Amino acid sequence: MKASLAKEVNRIAGLILLAALAALAVGHIWPLLVGLVGYIFWSTRQLFALYSWLVRDDHTEPPDSIGLWGEFYTRLEHLFQKERRAQENLQGIIHRAQQSVNALEDVVILIDQFGYLEYWNRAAEHYMGFNARQDLGQPLTNLVRHPGFTEYLYNGDFSEPLEIPSPVDDNRILQFRVTEFGVGEQLLMARDVTRLHHLEEMRKDFVANVSHELKTPLTVLKGYLETLLDTVPDEQGRLRRALTQMESQSNRMEALVTDLLLLSRLENTDADNDRQAVAIHGMLHRMRENALALGAEKKHRIELEIPEEARLIANPAELESAFGNLITNAVKYTPDNGYIQIRWWQDDKGAHLSVTDDGVGIDPAHIPRLTERFYRPDNSRVTQTGGTGLGLAIVKHVMIRHNGKLEISSELGKGSTFTCHFPPDRLVSKPTAVAG
Ligand code: ADP
């Protein structure tokens, strides 16, 4: 480039020199002017040629030129060639990525920040019924009209997947997961979980049926045990001890069956039944009294911090069950003379109930699994506390049914806090008939 530049400078200098000599020879300035105008004319032509070459789509075969202009064209052509190759490479990568996404059995859908369809794979056509020609650029919620799906997308909480029937086949169940990327864009992936769903349904039915079937024999057994305990005289100590043990175990079994049935009901029934404005203050006051009676010998200090006017749109029985489990646990897992605090507060994020104790605490490693059925960090506690292992699973389900969340924080040996978070739409804005 430097050599061409030098040549071009020499060429211009030579031209000026020639024109100057000619001007001297004829004794007039016009040969110099002619040389200058000629050079400007030639350069302008080159500029036009460059412009028309640049606006062409292919950028191959640059116009013929000499000197610096020729060098210019060669360099530009190389640049364009490099860019073309990079583009071809990129297109190849995109094509291969599309091919592999198309080969996936899972549905892949891309939507832009306004919820309009940008891309989907072949599985989406099969499971969702998308049509390449007419559906591109359509709002996704116009094509998938399930109310749960719309709510899931608008809520923006994608921590849990969503299961809904396929829009083209009610018998197929799809499980959606959403990943956000870019500026408000979303990648939706769905897989066919029909088989898993059926197995889960079978499990739920099985547990519900077994629990239901166990109820009657258990009632009969308990009835006889009670009668026997009433009739066996105190002198027959061994028999009485055996019967007392049998009675306490059948009570435990009854509690288990009751909790299993409650869990089945929470899983299998409509979440919106029996919605009322529940007076929280009265409900928790009663629970405090019960908790004090339950752990009378432990001499706990139980404090309530609840505004009198606290109200929540909820199912009162379910709420009582959830709060009851948290408070009972606090009593169970807090040693003598311990302190338990029950607090209710509201803010722009909704309503919150926390139960804090300074009891035995939980190793944080166990916290993520604590709401699983029968999960216990320390099995040796079971016999001492006599719980069913279903309490926190019940709390979690009640919270899900109230569009809320259970948060657990704890430190081994220091105590625990269980907080129920309810969304703002559960708050009572104006006076309503109150239950509780
Ligand atoms: P359980 O009938 O065993 O109490 P839950 O589902 O209510 O069943 O609780 C599961 C486990 O979580 C308990 O076994 C216990 O180890 C732990 N846990 C629950 N609440 C507390 C608490 N307040 N303090 C310490 N550990 C707790």
Side-chain angles (χ1 to χ4, degrees):
M1 187 78 177
K2 263 189 185 159
S4 313
L5 196 63
K7 263 192 199 165
E8 190 67 18
V9 171
N10 286 343
R11 190 175 296 127
I12 295 170
L15 195 75
I16 293 173
L17 197 68
L18 264 177
L21 284 176
L24 272 178
V26 296
H28 208 285
I29 198 164
W30 62 261
L32 202 62
L33 284 177
V34 168
L36 220 65
V37 170
Y39 184 74
I40 292 172
F41 177 72
W42 180 75
S43 300
T44 314
R45 268 195 63 184
Q46 295 300 325
L47 267 179
F48 274 109
L50 174 66
Y51 176 75
S52 21
W53 181 63
L54 282 180
V55 295
R56 255 167 47 191
D57 282 339
D58 56 353
H59 300 134
T60 52
E61 295 177 29
D64 287 332
S65 192
I66 51 156
L68 197 60
W69 283 99
E71 177 82 17
F72 217 44
Y73 284 128
T74 318
R75 298 245 165 194
L76 275 175
E77 197 187 4
H78 278 155
L79 269 178
F80 285 133
Q81 269 174 3
K82 231 167 115 179
E83 196 191 290
R84 231 182 348 257
R85 272 198 296 275
Q87 256 183 16
E88 278 165 10
N89 217 348
L90 203 68
Q91 264 170 357
I93 293 172
I94 292 174
H95 184 66
R96 258 179 298 143
Q98 276 186 344
Q99 269 185 330
S100 48
V101 174
N102 263 334
L104 282 177
E105 282 186 17
D106 292 352
V107 171
V108 177
I109 302 168
L110 279 182
I111 54 174
D112 67 13
Q113 54 185 323
F114 306 109
Y116 293 110
L117 273 174
E118 274 188 339
Y119 170 82
W120 61 86
N121 67 350
R122 221 167 276 149
E125 288 174 11
H126 176 67
Y127 287 113
M128 313 291 291
F130 291 169
N131 181 315
R133 271 214 220 120
Q134 64 202 47
D135 294 338
L136 191 69
Q138 292 282 328
L140 178 60
T141 43
N142 277 7
L143 302 170
V144 186
R145 291 198 163 266
H146 194 282
F149 184 77
T150 314
E151 200 186 321
Y152 184 67
L153 278 192
Y154 285 122
N155 273 352
D157 176 8
F158 305 123
S159 49
E160 295 290 328
L162 170 80
E163 282 182 21
I164 55 163
S166 149
V168 288
D169 180 0
D170 276 354
N171 295 320
R172 244 175 225 296
I173 305 296
L174 298 177
Q175 187 188 62
F176 282 87
R177 281 204 172 272
V178 179
T179 310
E180 292 177 291
F181 69 100
V183 188
E185 286 147 291
Q186 290 173 332
L187 167 76
L188 285 87
M189 294 192 69
R191 60 192 185 111
D192 185 353
V193 290
T194 314
R195 218 176 73 83
L196 276 175
H197 187 79
H198 285 327
L199 282 174
E200 180 66 9
E201 292 292 302
M202 273 166 66
R203 181 198 59 82
K204 282 183 196 166
D205 288 349
F206 176 77
V207 173
N209 290 339
V210 168
S211 317
H212 189 74
E213 292 301 323
L214 279 174
K215 258 188 106 162
T216 319
L218 209 59
T219 315
V220 176
L221 273 176
K222 274 190 63 172
Y224 278 118
L225 281 171
E226 237 169 73
T227 321
L228 279 171
L229 269 170
D230 283 346
T231 47
V232 172
D234 285 346
E235 297 82 67
Q236 290 186 284
R238 276 180 66 184
L239 184 58
R240 276 199 75 85
R241 269 198 301 282
L243 287 172
T244 315
Q245 271 279 327
M246 284 166 79
E247 194 189 33
S248 103
Q249 289 303 322
S250 57
N251 282 340
R252 228 186 114 197
M253 222 165 140
E254 192 182 36
L256 248 171
V257 168
T258 309
D259 275 1
L260 277 173
L261 278 173
L262 174 60
L263 255 179
S264 294
R265 229 184 2 259
L266 292 176
E267 278 184 333
N268 297 328
T269 57
D270 181 9
D272 277 337
N273 60 4
D274 199 18
R275 261 174 165 232
Q276 309 179 19
V278 182
I280 301 296
H281 189 267
M283 175 187 273
L284 287 169
H285 247 278
R286 275 199 313 276
M287 288 187 177
R288 177 179 177 271
E289 299 304 312
N290 292 345
L292 283 171
L294 176 81
E297 74 283 5
K298 286 184 149 184
K299 300 199 171 56
H300 289 144
R301 189 156 61 88
I302 306 182
E303 267 182 20
L304 280 188
E305 202 186 305
I306 297 156
E308 287 262 1
E309 67 286 356
R311 302 267 186 282
L312 190 78
I313 307 284
N315 176 316
E318 290 181 15
L319 219 54
E320 197 146 351
S321 198
F323 296 171
N325 270 307
L326 293 181
I327 297 170
T328 312
N329 276 352
V331 171
K332 277 195 303 192
Y333 301 109
T334 302
D336 295 0
N337 304 312
Y339 170 63
I340 297 168
Q341 189 200 40
I342 304 166
R343 202 160 82 82
W344 178 273
W345 74 100
Q346 289 170 203
D347 54 28
D348 52 350
K349 290 197 184 115
H352 318 268
L353 169 101
S354 70
V355 180
T356 305
D357 63 62
D358 60 359
V360 294
I362 308 153
D363 181 344
H366 294 291
I367 291 178
R369 298 195 55 194
L370 226 50
T371 53
E372 287 174 21
R373 284 147 212 249
F374 301 115
Y375 183 84
R376 283 164 168 140
D378 181 359
N379 270 322
S380 62
R381 281 187 203 166
V382 178
T383 39
Q384 295 165 22
T385 59
T388 61
L390 296 169
L392 291 181
I394 290 173
V395 180
K396 179 184 150 184
H397 272 86
V398 169
M399 291 314 292
I400 292 174
R401 283 162 71 87
H402 287 80
N403 316 104
K405 256 191 178 151
L406 172 68
E407 185 191 332
I408 307 171
S409 65
S410 187
E411 211 179 317
L412 204 55
K414 295 234 165 118
S416 319
T417 298
F418 290 76
T419 314
C420 298
H421 300 286
F422 297 92
D425 61 3
R426 290 269 165 189
L427 292 171
V428 180
S429 45
K430 42 184 179 309
T432 330
V434 170

